[in-house]
Amino acid sequence: MKKTSLTLAIMALAAAAGGAAHAQSNVQVYGLLDVGVETANNKSATGGSQTSVISGGMNTSRWGLRGTEDLGGGLKAIFSLEGGILMDTGAQDGVLFKRQANVGLEGAFGRVIIGRSFSTVYDTVIAYDPMGFAPYYSWATSGPATGPSKYGFTTAYDNLIKYSGSTGDFKFGANYAAGEQTTGAQDSAKYGFTGAYKLGGANLMATWERNNGNTVPATGARDKNTVWHLGVNYETGPVKLWGVIRDYKLVAGKALTADVDATTTWAGIAYKADAVTTLTGAIYHVNVKNVAAGKDADPTMYVARYRYALSKRTDVHVSAAYVKSKNGQLTGLSRDDAGFGTSQHGLVVGMQHRF
């Protein structure tokens, strides 16, 4: 009788221990704070220069919570909540968790998440931008906000279902963002597919995405925005090289509305001089198409950056950039601010801390 009771007690403890092991969870608070000072010319219609305290010189400032729970059998539950911070004012950048708000599962099959998240295209292309999608200065997500379009891609979606996986040296991903419309299954729907392959010191990637608008009753058609990328990066010793081409096309659903078309290319080089110093240079060019002769801006931006690591978590950085357009068209360095001249130069000095 005593042996039976002891056996039952041991079995109960073993079951409890096993359950506790399966329920092990980990939650992490993290963030990236990047603040600096920018000075640039042609910040107004009269050509005036401006010096400003900025948020996100090298990376967008953010904070978040992420975690996992071990469900057993190699399966994990995962979640992510991430919001943006405007370091110059302390304000919230958009809605509370504008950057990410999702849950999902991860296992041998890969990873599936549902909610708001970065697109599979963003997840892939970010590794092929020498400036790392820096708010100051990179056109890898989009070009200058001075024409009818930024000729870029959407970095994050609401209502997203995203899958990522890998086999050997090949990584792949797909996402679908539901349009949640009653007028048609494809209205406002978004699709994306990516693949990346490691070949020695080189990495190759290709992406494709389609964003649908809503059906226009007068024409029975909808806007269709298609973007694809082809890219490569190569690392040898202290040197890393990048080269990417992006094609952007928006087919208009409205009658008598011109399509928007442009090809963006960029290339870059980084040199790690020592354990704490990295020098980076990049060139971005937008070839504007489907506009009247002599109206294509075709801007080109040149960027140089010095980065010095004070520690594993803290860096100081200095970036300088110059942009020039053609045919007397307005352009600017920023992806968000209108341009007021046919050229612009800017300088950013900043500091970044990660926690």
Side-chain angles (χ1 to χ4, degrees):
M1 196 67 184
K2 290 182 180 179
K3 288 183 179 179
T4 302
S5 299
L6 180 60
T7 300
L8 290 173
I10 292 173
M11 291 175 64
L13 287 171
H22 287 171
Q24 284 181 356
S25 62
N26 171 57
V27 178
Q28 179 186 10
V29 180
Y30 68 94
L32 186 155
L33 308 177
D34 194 320
V35 66
V37 177
E38 184 204 32
T39 182
N41 73 330
N42 286 335
K43 297 288 283 187
S44 69
T46 57
S49 297
Q50 185 179 54
T51 299
S52 307
V53 174
I54 61 166
S55 178
M58 191 164 60
N59 292 108
T60 304
S61 298
R62 81 291 299 259
W63 75 281
L65 300 168
R66 58 189 171 208
T68 64
E69 182 184 15
D70 187 354
L71 302 176
L75 188 65
K76 293 181 179 180
I78 55 178
F79 81 89
S80 181
L81 297 170
E82 186 175 289
I85 305 170
L86 298 175
M87 292 294 291
D88 52 333
T89 64
Q92 182 175 291
D93 186 5
V95 297
L96 180 58
F97 295 120
K98 173 185 175 182
R99 294 174 61 85
Q100 295 203 75
N102 55 73
V103 296
L105 292 172
E106 183 177 86
F109 60 87
R111 170 186 285 226
V112 176
I113 61 171
I114 301 178
R116 177 170 174 82
S117 180
F118 298 116
S119 70
T120 187
V121 173
Y122 174 93
D123 292 341
T124 300
V125 178
I126 191 171
Y128 294 81
D129 179 18
M131 300 301 290
F133 287 2
Y136 300 80
Y137 306 99
S138 166
W139 287 353
T141 55
S142 64
T146 52
S149 171
K150 297 184 183 182
Y151 312 113
F153 66 95
T154 307
T155 59
Y157 292 121
D158 295 335
N159 314 315
L160 186 71
I161 303 169
K162 182 171 73 170
Y163 168 76
S164 59
S166 65
T167 175
D169 292 327
F170 181 57
K171 296 181 179 180
F172 46 89
N175 62 225
Y176 170 72
E180 301 188 348
Q181 302 290 314
T182 59
T183 55
Q186 302 305 313
D187 279 4
S188 292
K190 289 96 175 170
Y191 308 84
F193 303 93
T194 63
Y197 184 71
K198 183 173 178 57
L199 184 63
N203 294 282
L204 311 173
M205 69 89 171
T207 78
W208 181 91
E209 73 172 31
R210 164 70 61 78
N211 293 341
N212 288 341
N214 291 333
T215 299
V216 178
T219 63
R222 63 172 71 92
D223 285 355
K224 294 182 180 179
N225 174 206
T226 305
V227 181
W228 58 257
H229 294 84
L230 292 174
V232 60
N233 63 40
Y234 178 75
E235 189 167 5
T236 176
V239 177
K240 190 169 185 178
L241 304 168
W242 294 266
V244 177
I245 180 171
R246 169 172 62 235
D247 189 74
Y248 172 102
K249 188 165 186 178
L250 173 63
V251 177
K254 293 181 180 179
L256 304 176
T257 302
D259 297 341
V260 179
D261 195 3
T263 298
T264 301
T265 53
W266 68 83
I269 182 172
Y271 174 66
K272 196 168 181 61
D274 51 43
V276 295
T277 305
T278 303
L279 305 174
T280 304
I283 301 175
Y284 301 84
H285 175 72
V286 181
N287 179 18
V288 179
K289 305 174 184 178
N290 203 37
V291 296
K295 296 296 183 180
D296 48 336
D298 289 352
T300 301
M301 179 169 68
Y302 305 88
V303 190
R305 181 171 70 199
Y306 169 83
R307 180 175 183 174
Y308 184 83
L310 297 173
S311 70
K312 290 184 178 181
R313 295 178 177 270
T314 305
D315 299 289
V316 290
H317 53 87
V318 180
S319 299
Y322 172 77
V323 63
K324 176 69 176 176
S325 65
K326 291 169 45 179
N327 298 316
Q329 300 299 304
L330 300 180
T331 192
L333 298 166
S334 175
R335 299 184 304 223
D336 302 309
D337 302 326
F340 293 103
T342 58
S343 68
Q344 187 177 40
H345 59 72
L347 177 70
V348 167
V349 179
M351 179 176 179
Q352 179 184 111
H353 177 72
R354 300 170 295 281
F355 64 89

